[in-house]
Amino acid sequence: MTSQYDSFKQIILEFISGKKYEPVGEKKLFSKLKIDTKFHEICKQILKDLLDSKVIVFKRKQYLLNKPAKEVMTGVIRVHNKGFGFVVLDHPGGYAQDIFIPKHLTENAVDGDRVEVEVDPDSGSVKGPEGKIIGILERARTHVGATLHHFETPKKVYAYSPLMGTGKMIVVTPRKLSVVGDRVILKMTSWGDENSPPHGEIAHYLGSINDPSVDINSAIEEFDLRNVFSPEAIGEAATWGTEPPKADLKKRTDLTKLTTVTIDPETAKDFDDALSLTVDEKGIFHLGVHIADVSHYVSIGTHLDTEARERGNSTYFPGRCLPMLPHELSDNLCSLNPNVIRLTVSVMMEFDGQGNLIKKDIIRSFINSAKRFSYEEAKEVLDGTIESPYKALLERMVNLCHLLKGKRFERGSIDFSLSEMVIVVDEKGQPQKTHKVEYDITHQLVEEFMLKANEVVAKHLADKGKQAVYRIHEEPSPTDQDEFYGMARAMGFTLPSKPTKQDVQMLFEKVKKTPYAHQLSVGFIRSMKLAYYSTENVGHFG
């Protein structure tokens, strides 16, 4: 009897708990589960016991799982171009992550809208807690960028907007000379709903989709990027002048005697970080990672701070940059240009001959960078193609880089070494050619030193009991991992039935010089869970 009771209890609970369960009464429940009439009495007793223990509830003559009440919260939605979104809550409460909104539950909210979201506390998935949009509190914009896509009639044209996606074409009344491919700014007259499409009026033209010279200006308007600084922010930046005054140097450590260099892409407009490295008579490496001290110039609550928060980052286009700070700062005082004094925060580290960190210090400082290297130029110096007085410095950096990479490899790090394809455009924005940028040793040494500096700062904050933000990357699911292993085996690489992280490390060492390197690297990255930022350090897979 007990065995039958437990079996039917499990069957009933699994059915009622299922995602596709629609509430039903007793008779229909037994019918759907095809329970023989001789077992109805025992199942009635099970339902009574589940009700008494408040596992289920009986409402409107139907049985439902007794779920905790869903919370209604407010926040700003960020919509992915695939249609799903995340709501950044105004007051997160007990939620450490943003609220994931599936594509079919975004209603007609668009990126940046302030919304009401109903959060399902039991919905936790790899993407975090889930919810659905139940109301739009405030629209983020009145205009959107779009491209006229196709004419349904001479007086009715559908337009595609990157903001709305392909699932929400906008109905537009065309002007006299409108043609397919016109890039326009639309004034939205209706945002539509499930039963009707959004509508807009043409506010002004940007140009033709066939004219690459309008691409950047179109992107700026289409994605509502900020490309003009407020007069107040420009005024605050201008008050700092063009060189740090001597008074600003007094409480800082003078590191101008150190030989420091910057290594950045050829197209870089500003230089955020510089490196120095010496080796003493005992073979101890003295590494300095020097970061431009932007916080000296941007105080909380200033117009510069507000502008930087709104932008979030600098945005790079081919041949053009929308900086996070006015040029007086981004290209000058906050850029570690060569042969000028600049204020920095320096992470000073000492390593023994095996790459073990033996001493560290974090200081406010000022430096005078000796040389601005591009990755390509630094590689040519190392290869001996061109001469440079800094060759010995670069060679020391390569030696320490290999030691630190070895240490990271011991901890289970996976090295992809992905190359990058860059599109070269002319002054009109017309693509001319592609240029492959290899992830060579110059890129690796910069990354290795930056990783170590970040690690030192994070540990320093943790040891002091200070809250820090960590980039979290949890371990992939077994199913996603198995799919990747299957792909690798299909390409001819041998892996055990249950690969360890060391097996994966060795796989990527083997594939580096093969035609499969890029495909396998991308495949592995896709098998990983979404990364997110958290104040709780739960680790970073890979």
Side-chain angles (χ1 to χ4, degrees):
M1 181 73 172
T2 303
S3 176
Q4 283 183 343
Y5 180 96
D6 290 340
S7 296
F8 281 114
K9 181 180 179 181
Q10 183 177 351
I11 291 168
I12 290 171
L13 262 180
E14 285 182 356
F15 180 68
I16 294 177
S17 302
K19 282 192 173 183
K20 295 184 179 180
Y21 173 71
E22 294 181 4
V24 293
E26 181 184 287
K27 186 176 179 181
K28 206 160 192 177
L29 177 67
F30 294 165
S31 172
K32 281 182 172 291
L33 292 175
K34 296 182 172 54
I35 297 174
D36 194 289
T37 53
K38 64 183 178 183
F39 298 116
H40 280 192
E41 285 305 313
I42 190 172
C43 289
K44 287 180 181 179
Q45 183 61 46
I46 289 169
L47 289 172
K48 182 179 182 304
D49 293 345
L50 290 172
L51 285 169
D52 290 344
S53 60
K54 297 183 179 180
V55 174
I56 61 173
V57 293
F58 191 64
K59 291 183 179 180
R60 294 188 290 275
K61 298 182 179 180
Q62 295 173 324
Y63 292 101
L64 299 91
L65 198 65
N66 188 15
K67 292 184 177 181
K70 295 180 180 180
E71 292 183 84
V72 175
M73 308 180 82
T74 61
V76 174
I77 187 169
R78 294 301 177 192
V79 181
H80 191 274
N81 56 19
K82 291 185 178 178
F84 61 84
F86 290 88
V87 173
V88 183
L89 297 174
D90 293 333
H91 307 287
Y95 295 102
Q97 293 175 249
D98 299 335
I99 309 303
F100 174 70
I101 312 295
K103 183 178 180 179
H104 66 286
L105 297 178
T106 57
E107 294 302 319
N108 66 337
V110 297
D111 188 72
D113 287 349
R114 286 201 71 253
V115 297
E116 278 188 315
V117 56
E118 185 179 76
V119 184
D120 185 350
D122 281 345
S123 63
S125 69
V126 294
K127 301 179 185 69
E130 293 188 9
K132 68 176 182 178
I133 303 302
I134 59 173
I136 311 294
L137 301 176
E138 183 182 347
R139 289 290 180 184
R141 65 200 74 208
T142 57
H143 294 69
V144 301
T147 303
L148 302 189
H149 189 272
H150 66 274
F151 280 76
E152 185 173 280
T153 69
K155 294 185 178 181
K156 185 179 182 182
V157 61
Y158 282 87
Y160 163 75
S161 169
L163 185 74
M164 311 285 278
T166 54
K168 288 186 178 179
M169 288 289 190
I170 305 169
V171 178
V172 180
T173 301
R175 293 182 179 177
K176 189 175 181 180
L177 300 177
S178 296
V179 296
V180 169
D182 280 345
R183 303 178 86 156
V184 296
I185 296 298
L186 300 177
K187 179 183 178 182
M188 298 302 295
T189 57
S190 167
W191 292 95
D193 54 35
E194 288 184 4
N195 302 312
S196 60
H199 286 69
E201 299 174 350
I202 297 175
H204 67 270
Y205 284 90
L206 297 171
S208 170
I209 196 171
N210 295 318
D211 181 1
S213 67
V214 302
D215 284 354
I216 293 177
N217 287 334
S218 295
I220 289 170
E221 295 219 40
E222 285 174 2
F223 294 98
D224 198 28
L225 302 178
R226 298 172 73 88
N227 67 328
V228 177
F229 287 98
S230 68
E232 293 83 2
I234 293 173
E236 287 178 358
T239 61
W240 291 104
T242 58
E243 296 293 334
K246 289 183 179 179
D248 290 348
L249 310 181
K250 286 184 178 179
K251 294 183 179 180
R252 292 174 175 265
T253 303
D254 183 352
L255 299 180
T256 55
K257 296 291 191 294
L258 277 177
T259 300
T260 57
V261 298
T262 59
I263 309 177
D264 293 279
E266 185 68 55
T267 55
K269 303 296 183 185
D270 50 67
F271 316 113
D272 305 324
D273 45 74
L275 302 170
S276 62
L277 181 61
T278 59
V279 181
D280 64 24
E281 64 279 359
K282 296 180 181 179
I284 303 298
F285 292 91
H286 298 260
L287 172 68
V289 175
H290 315 277
I291 310 297
D293 190 359
V294 180
S295 64
H296 179 83
Y297 302 100
V298 182
S299 301
I300 294 174
T302 60
H303 293 288
L304 284 171
D305 178 49
T306 301
E307 192 72 49
R309 284 172 178 268
E310 289 291 332
R311 294 177 183 234
N313 51 262
S314 296
T315 303
Y316 282 86
F317 295 101
R320 184 174 174 186
C321 171
L322 301 184
M324 191 167 67
L325 296 171
H327 293 287
E328 290 85 351
L329 294 180
S330 62
D331 291 354
N332 191 28
L333 288 174
C334 295
S335 181
L336 306 182
N337 302 325
N339 305 314
V340 289
I341 289 176
R342 290 292 178 260
L343 307 185
T344 47
V345 177
S346 297
V347 183
M348 309 301 292
M349 296 163 277
E350 294 182 15
F351 301 89
D352 64 20
Q354 286 72 50
N356 299 304
L357 180 67
I358 56 177
K359 189 177 179 182
K360 63 184 186 299
D361 197 11
I362 303 169
I363 56 176
R364 300 277 176 180
S365 56
F366 59 95
I367 66 168
N368 190 332
S369 177
K371 170 69 176 174
R372 178 272 201 262
F373 275 110
S374 67
Y375 287 117
E376 292 82 357
E377 184 183 3
K379 184 66 165 60
E380 288 178 329
V381 171
L382 287 167
D383 291 343
T385 308
I386 59 176
E387 294 184 1
S388 170
Y390 306 106
K391 184 175 183 179
L393 170 62
L394 293 174
E395 288 176 337
R396 290 196 294 272
M397 290 181 176
V398 170
N399 292 337
L400 180 57
C401 171
H402 287 314
L403 291 173
L404 296 182
K405 281 189 71 175
K407 287 292 180 184
R408 201 154 52 87
F409 194 84
E410 289 173 7
R411 288 158 50 190
S413 177
I414 297 168
D415 184 13
F416 299 124
S417 298
L418 281 169
S419 59
E420 180 184 358
M421 194 64 73
V422 176
I423 300 173
V424 180
V425 299
D426 62 19
E427 65 278 0
K428 294 182 179 180
Q430 188 73 40
Q432 298 298 303
K433 61 180 179 179
T434 58
H435 172 55
K436 190 175 184 180
V437 178
E438 296 291 348
Y439 184 74
D440 60 40
I441 190 62
T442 60
H443 296 77
Q444 294 169 41
L445 68 86
V446 171
E447 180 182 49
E448 209 61 51
F449 298 162
M450 293 302 154
L451 282 172
K452 202 64 189 178
N454 276 308
E455 185 181 314
V456 166
V457 170
K459 188 174 187 309
H460 172 78
L461 291 172
D463 290 344
K464 292 284 186 182
K466 303 287 187 181
Q467 193 172 68
V469 178
Y470 302 91
R471 182 174 170 84
I472 306 303
H473 222 150
E474 295 174 314
E475 191 165 337
S477 70
T479 302
D480 289 337
Q481 283 183 311
D482 287 342
E483 286 182 8
F484 168 75
Y485 299 146
M487 180 174 71
R489 293 186 185 106
M491 292 178 177
F493 296 97
T494 303
L495 283 169
S497 57
K498 292 186 177 179
T500 63
K501 185 171 280 191
Q502 288 69 33
D503 293 323
V504 177
Q505 285 180 317
M506 295 312 298
L507 168 67
F508 279 103
E509 287 301 308
K510 291 176 185 176
V511 305
K512 277 183 180 178
K513 301 297 182 182
T514 73
Y516 306 109
H518 188 272
Q519 189 175 351
L520 278 173
S521 296
V522 172
F524 185 79
I525 291 169
R526 286 178 175 170
S527 77
M528 296 168 73
K529 289 185 179 179
L530 289 173
Y532 61 94
Y533 291 91
S534 172
T535 54
E536 184 180 354
N537 183 15
V538 299
H540 189 291
F541 182 82

